[in-house]
Structure formats: C-alpha cells, structure tokens
Amino acid sequence: MSEPFDLVIRGGTVATASDVFTADVGIRDGRIVQIGETLAEGRQDIDAAGRYVLPGGIDSHVHISQPSGDGIVMADDFESGTRSALFGGNTTVLPFCLQEKGQSLRAALTAYHALADGNCYTDHSFHMIVSDPTASVLGQELPALVADGYTSFKVFMTYEGLRLNDAQILETMDVARRTGALVMVHCENEDAIRYLIGRHEASGDVAPRAHATTRPIVVEREATHRALSLAEVVDVPVVIVHVSNGAAIDEIRAARARGRKVIGETCPQYLVLTADDLDGMDWEGAKFVCSPPPRDTASQEACWRGLETGVFDLFSSDHCPFRYDDPAGKLNPKGKTSFRHIPNGIPGVETRLPILFSEGVMKGRIDLSRFVALTATNHAKVYGLERKGRIAVGMDADIAIWDPEARRTIRHADLHDGADYSPYEGIEIRGWPTTVVLGGKIMVRDGTLVGAKGDGHYRARALPTI
Ligand code: URP
Ligand code: ZN
Ligand code: ZN
C-alpha cells in the first residue's frame, strides 16, 4: 500500500492553462503526486467543492526593500511584501535586486538575500537590475550569475541614475544572447521626459497630474520601438514590461510580425486606473504616481484586448509600495514641492489576482485557463521556474483555492502590505483566494494566516522556456 497523502484538496474545479475539470489533488512531500477521482484520505483534507483550485499566483514583477534614495523608504520589506502577496493568492514572487552604481552584482545579491532569507511567506527568486554595466559586470559577473540561476535582468531607459544608453543596452542584451538569459526593458524616453518636466516646472505646473502629462504615450511608444529594434539588432528575445497603451502594443505586434520573440507584460493599473486619478484632491494624486502612468479609457480597452488576444503573456503587479502620508514616502518634503520628487510606484501585489479575476473572468473577458496562464503558468515558463505554475503531477504543490462567490470591496485596512493606502480602494470584487498552499503546507486557511515567516524559500531558476 502506498503512503498516505499529506494533503488532499478534494472535489474542486481545477484549472490549468489548457483545461478545467473537477478532481481531487493529492500532495505528498511538497509535490503534487496524484490527480484523480476519489483519492484516498490524506493526513489533512480540504473540501474544495464549489471552489476553484488554481496554481498559486506567480508575480514576476515586484519591488521589495529596494533602495530608493533621497530619504525615501519602500513600504514593504520581505516579511510584509510576501505576506501581502500570499493573501492575494500568490505563492512565488520575483522582486528586483538593484545594482547601485559602482556596486558589484554579487554584493547587491548578498545584501538582498540577507534581507529575504528567513523572512518570506512565499517562494521567491530575483531579477537583477543592471545600472552599471562595466566590462567586468558584463564579461564575468552577469554570465556567472546566470549560471547560478539568476536568469533574467532588467534595464531602464528612464530614471536618472538608472537608465542605460543604447550602447549599454546593446551590450547588456549581448550577455543575454551569449547566456540564454532574458532581458526585461522599462521603455520610456528619459530625455523627452526631462524636456517636458522642464517645461511644466517653468510654467509652475508641479502638481501630481503633471507626472502623467510629462510621460505621455509617445515617450513610451518611442522607447518601446527602440528597445524592440535593439533586441532585433542583437537577435535576442525581450520582455517589454508594464505596457500601458495601444501604441506600445502595436509596436509589440509589429515586432512579432517581423518574427521577433517578444514577451509582453501589463499590470492592473493600466486596466482600472486612468491619468484622471492623479488629479486627486490636494496631493492625493500622488497615490497614483507610477511609471508609465495610467492613461485613458481607450488605453484600458487596448490593454484588455492585449490580454484577450495574446499580446500579453504576463500579468504582473509592478508592486512598488511607498507610504502616502509619510516623509519617507509620497509626501516627502521635496515631493510636496513638485511631482518630480514623488517616488514612482504603487502597491498592488495583493490585489493583482482579485482584480483580474473579477474584471476579467467574472465579467467574461477572459476564461479561467487564460487567467491561469497570465498569472502563473506563463511566468514560470518565461522565468525558468520549472516546478511551478501548473497543477500537474510532479509540480510543487503551490495552490490557491478561490471562492468565486466571495464579494469584497477593496479596502486598504483589509490588506496586508506595509503601505497606508491602496490605489484600488473601493473597487468591488467578485471572487477571492481564501486558502493558499505553499509546497504542500497550508499557509492561509479560510482567510486566516496559519503559515510562518520563513516558510517561503529562495528558488534558483533555469533558463527561460519560451
Ligand atoms: O513606477 C514604477 N513602476 N515604479 C517601479 C519601478 C519600475 O519602473 O518598475
Ligand atoms: Zn519599470
Ligand atoms: Zn517595476
């Protein structure tokens, strides 16, 4: 007789990126070992009748404890950031490890691991942010890190101190060509933004709304076109992150039509927020300052169509939390003098999946399998998480059990991050993940935390399979 299951999730509606079916899921030693009808009793059983049994979400674009300069402090450390992710139905997050200028990548990673180790409620892995692509970084360090399982890195075309010029981007992409790693690109034209910021400040227009006006669609479109062209020159696949509008989507479509491998990512802020939110009373608009900024309803529709039609492979949060009413956050002393000093980024790791489920699946825009692909399976394939993102025998037992009948209104008071607001406050949601299992261990049971800090582990990654 075979050993009993450690856990059986019984009678739920299981969804993969291709199928939806009713089954029991048997788990032993942290893995899914059997999927079938009427499995034998486990040491623990969860009755999932009437619930959806989905792969735990993988949020492959989050910022946690990232140094933000100028007395600004990110609102989440690994404890609060991964706890919030977990309550939002996620079992793996991929934060960015920032290389500061002059710093070796290894030193940045050592410091980042020290912050994460023993403090996480979800599994995690890191993308590098390459801000100083010296000869030794590109020649030795980065290839060695790829071999060690850090198989993706992000480059910026905007933000002073972070942005790379075209020559540097080409050189960094060449490391991806040589190693098989993936380059992610933040596409906004910094020089054009600086020009527009200068014009706005000169006219005394310094309120948060000007953040959106000085980062118009054209600066994203131009940079997207350039990033795709540079990737074509080097002949590498590329990830275009946080795409906000139809013009950038058209660039992705055009590159694909030329035979390029392009992975597109969008985020909740481009589906349910607009630039008008930055108008908020007094400086409340600062709560919505992120880059690229939320656009207009036509852009929202374009992003929905991109999700429906496959332009987007990834739906991520770009969780980048700063407290609002805090001198180390949005309302820092300089931030109150000009939109230019408001830290860029908004929280959203806990609300990413409920927003897409409610607005996408429950409103009939996407089906459950597409939801699973966009929120888990594709992230695992793109970023080399070989045992994650699928409900299948042999995979890590990372599972979120959803109550599709749950009705909630997003209130920051109910969330678990370290910020003091949610940009999604007041949005009505249908469907919420109520129980979350990580590596076979129940972490959240019926909305209550039962797992412990440190149950989440670092996972080295393979090369992308795209
Ligand atoms: O405003 C944003 N998105 N901040 C996070 C950093 C980034 O560019 O992803
Ligand atoms: Zn970015
Ligand atoms: Zn980001």
Side-chain angles (χ1 to χ4, degrees), residues 103-401:
Q103 192 182 29
S104 85
L105 301 181
R106 279 283 175 201
L109 267 175
T110 303
Y112 214 48
H113 272 289
L115 294 174
D117 288 352
N119 288 322
C120 291
Y121 288 95
T122 65
D123 282 355
H124 50 278
S125 190
F126 305 133
H127 313 285
M128 292 303 308
I129 291 175
V130 179
S131 72
D132 199 3
T134 60
S136 67
V137 163
L138 298 179
Q140 285 95 47
E141 274 211 274
L142 204 43
L145 289 181
V146 174
D148 283 354
Y150 304 91
T151 53
S152 49
F153 31 90
K154 181 174 178 187
V155 297
F156 286 82
M157 299 171 101
T158 184
Y159 300 139
E160 210 42 62
L162 268 187
R163 67 142 151 186
L164 305 189
N165 62 35
D166 290 355
Q168 292 171 316
I169 293 172
L170 287 163
E171 292 297 328
T172 309
M173 286 180 169
D174 194 65
V175 179
R177 183 183 65 80
R178 285 185 272 125
T179 60
L182 253 187
V183 183
M184 313 158 76
V185 190
H186 179 135
C187 301
E188 288 183 293
N189 181 320
E190 177 69 13
D191 291 322
I193 293 164
R194 292 189 141 241
Y195 163 76
L196 290 172
I197 288 176
R199 245 173 53 179
H200 272 70
E201 286 194 333
S203 72
D205 182 5
V206 292
R209 170 68 184 228
H211 173 78
T213 331
T214 55
R215 290 175 175 265
I217 285 173
V218 59
V219 309
E220 184 182 344
R221 188 194 70 210
E222 184 280 329
T224 304
H225 181 85
R226 189 155 35 99
L228 290 166
S229 303
L230 298 178
E232 189 167 339
V233 168
V234 178
D235 193 16
V236 280
V238 66
V239 185
I240 305 296
V241 293
H242 45 48
V243 174
S244 73
N245 69 86
I249 288 172
D250 289 344
E251 294 293 341
I252 294 175
R253 280 213 185 89
R256 285 188 181 158
R258 294 192 299 274
R260 305 307 313 162
K261 183 83 215 171
V262 184
I263 292 128
E265 177 201 74
T266 194
C267 313
Q269 49 270 43
Y270 308 118
L271 301 181
V272 298
L273 302 179
T274 69
D276 290 346
D277 289 304
L278 278 80
D279 273 334
M281 299 263 295
D282 195 10
W283 280 72
E284 292 260 331
K287 292 179 175 175
F288 303 89
V289 165
C290 62
S291 296
R295 307 289 185 187
D296 51 18
T297 51
S299 300
Q300 290 180 340
E301 276 314 307
C303 289
W304 275 116
R305 264 194 308 284
L307 288 168
E308 290 156 17
T309 59
V311 173
F312 294 123
D313 308 283
L314 304 173
F315 186 73
S316 309
S317 68
D318 195 5
H319 178 78
C320 186
F322 298 97
R323 290 172 60 79
Y324 170 67
D325 194 5
D326 194 315
K330 298 281 189 183
L331 296 189
N332 67 84
K334 276 175 150 179
K336 286 193 273 192
T337 66
S338 167
F339 65 92
R340 186 155 60 93
H341 302 295
I342 298 170
N344 283 206
I346 58 177
V349 73
E350 192 167 342
T351 45
R352 168 187 76 127
L353 297 176
I355 287 172
L356 187 66
F357 188 89
S358 183
E359 292 292 316
V361 179
M362 297 307 265
K363 292 194 175 168
R365 287 169 161 136
I366 56 171
D367 65 20
L368 203 51
S369 286
R370 183 95 185 107
F371 176 84
V372 167
L374 283 165
T375 58
T377 313
N378 291 352
H379 298 253
K381 282 188 192 158
V382 166
Y383 294 117
L385 289 158
E386 290 173 311
R387 292 216 316 257
K388 296 199 179 287
R390 285 191 290 145
I391 295 186
V393 169
M395 304 300 285
D396 285 353
D398 295 351
I399 293 172
I401 302 176

